[in-house]
Amino acid sequence: MIRLFVSDLDNTLFNDKKTVNPEDKEALMALVDAGVQVCLASGRMDKELVSVMNELQGEFHRISQNGAFIYDMNNQRLYSAHFDGDTARELFRIAEPYQLVGFISQEDGMFVPRKSELVQQIETQMRMPIEERSDVLDCLGTSIFASKLCYIGDMDEIKKLEATVKEHFADRVDSFISDRHCIDFMPPGVSKGVGLKRLIDHLGIKEEEVACIGDSYNDISMLRLTKHSFAMAVADAAVKQEATHTVASVAEAARWVLAYNNQISAK
C-alpha cells in the first residue's frame, strides 16, 4: 500500500506558467481523500511551498531547498541545515567571475547584493520577493544563515562553475542541477532523497510505501529511494532512467497510485 505521495514543483506539479493545472490539483486531493499523505519537495523556499499548499487547500508535508528544511503536515520542523558563514562567503566570491546570476537563500528570505534588471525578471517567477542587501556577504554566519546558493544562466558557464566548486570545496559543498539553466549549491549531505528518508522515518512508514515524481537532477536521489518512482516525460534521459515509470503529468502518476492501492486492497 502506498501511504505517501511526493511531488516536485517546477516542470512537474507546476506548468509553464508556474501554476498547478486543475487536473493535477484534483488528482492530489483524490489521493488525500483516499488516505494517502502528500509531500511537496522542491529546491524552492518553504514559504513558496506553503503558498502552493494554501492554493491547493490541503495540509501537506514539505521538503524545501532540496532537503535543507523539512516540515510535517502539522508544521513541525523536522530538520534544518545551513552553511557556515566563511564557506558561504567563499563560495559566492568564487562564483563572481562567471556570467551567472547568483542568489543567497536562507529559510525565510532570498538575497542579492544588487538587484539588477535580470534579477527583477527572475523575481517574477518566484512566489516571494528577492531582497537587495549590499551587506549580504558581511552578514553571512551572523544575521544571515545561507542554506542554499543558486546560480542561473548559460549551462556551459554553470558546468564550469560546478567544476571549480568541486575542485575548491571537495566534500564541503554538494551541487544539483535543479532546473533548466539553474544550479543549486547545498551544505554537504543535503538532498531531496536524504530529506525524504528523514520524513518517512519520522512518519514510521517504509520506503516501498512511498511514491515520488520529479523531472530534474535534484530529484534523482528521491527517485532512487523507492520502486514507485515517476519521471516526467519532459525530463532528460538520465533522469528518466532513474525512475520506474515515465508519465506526462502528476495526475497520471496519482491515478496509478490509486489503482495500485485499490489492487492491493482487493487481495
Side-chain angles (χ1 to χ4, degrees), residues 203-218:
L203 297 175
I205 61 178
K206 302 174 183 177
E207 293 172 7
E208 57 266 29
E209 295 176 317
V210 179
C212 63
I213 182 169
D215 76 292
S216 197
Y217 292 89
N218 65 334

Side-chain angles (χ1 to χ4, degrees), residues 34-202:
V36 179
Q37 298 179 52
V38 173
C39 174
L40 303 178
S42 175
R44 287 177 177 258
M45 301 178 66
D46 184 65
K47 284 185 177 180
E48 296 177 276
L49 273 63
V50 170
S51 171
V52 175
M53 183 178 71
N54 290 339
E55 287 180 18
L56 296 175
Q57 298 179 318
E59 297 296 330
F60 305 152
H61 307 294
R62 311 188 303 273
I63 299 172
S64 61
Q65 295 191 41
N66 299 316
F69 300 96
I70 307 169
Y71 286 86
D72 68 13
M73 65 170 55
N74 299 314
N75 208 38
Q76 177 185 354
R77 183 199 276 181
L78 307 181
Y79 181 77
S80 66
H82 58 78
F83 289 109
D84 66 83
D86 289 339
T87 298
R89 203 164 14 251
E90 184 183 358
L91 177 55
F92 193 87
R93 286 174 173 155
I94 280 178
E96 285 179 336
Y98 295 85
Q99 302 300 307
L100 299 167
V101 181
F103 303 88
I104 297 171
S105 295
Q106 64 176 14
E107 181 175 18
D108 59 356
M110 181 179 291
F111 307 95
V112 291
R114 186 179 69 85
K115 207 169 190 178
S116 66
E117 183 177 341
L118 183 54
V119 169
Q120 292 174 10
Q121 293 174 9
I122 294 171
E123 188 176 26
T124 63
Q125 302 297 315
M126 306 294 180
R127 289 180 169 244
M128 60 178 298
I130 298 170
E131 184 177 347
E132 181 179 87
R133 286 283 299 268
S134 60
D135 64 343
V136 62
L137 296 185
D138 295 331
C139 294
L140 289 172
T142 53
S143 59
I144 295 176
F145 299 91
S147 47
K148 182 180 79 169
L149 273 68
C150 170
Y151 290 87
I152 297 174
D154 179 76
M155 186 53 68
D156 288 339
E157 285 293 292
I158 285 175
K159 289 180 178 178
K160 291 176 185 177
L161 173 58
E162 185 176 34
T164 299
V165 169
K166 286 182 177 179
E167 179 183 352
H168 280 78
F169 289 91
D171 58 354
R172 288 190 293 153
V173 176
D174 285 342
S175 62
F176 304 99
I177 301 296
S178 58
D179 200 352
R180 300 180 183 95
H181 310 295
C182 178
I183 188 168
D184 294 338
F185 293 106
M186 306 298 305
V190 172
S191 71
K192 287 188 182 182
V194 173
L196 179 54
K197 185 64 168 64
R198 288 189 169 103
L199 176 63
I200 66 177
D201 286 347
H202 170 74

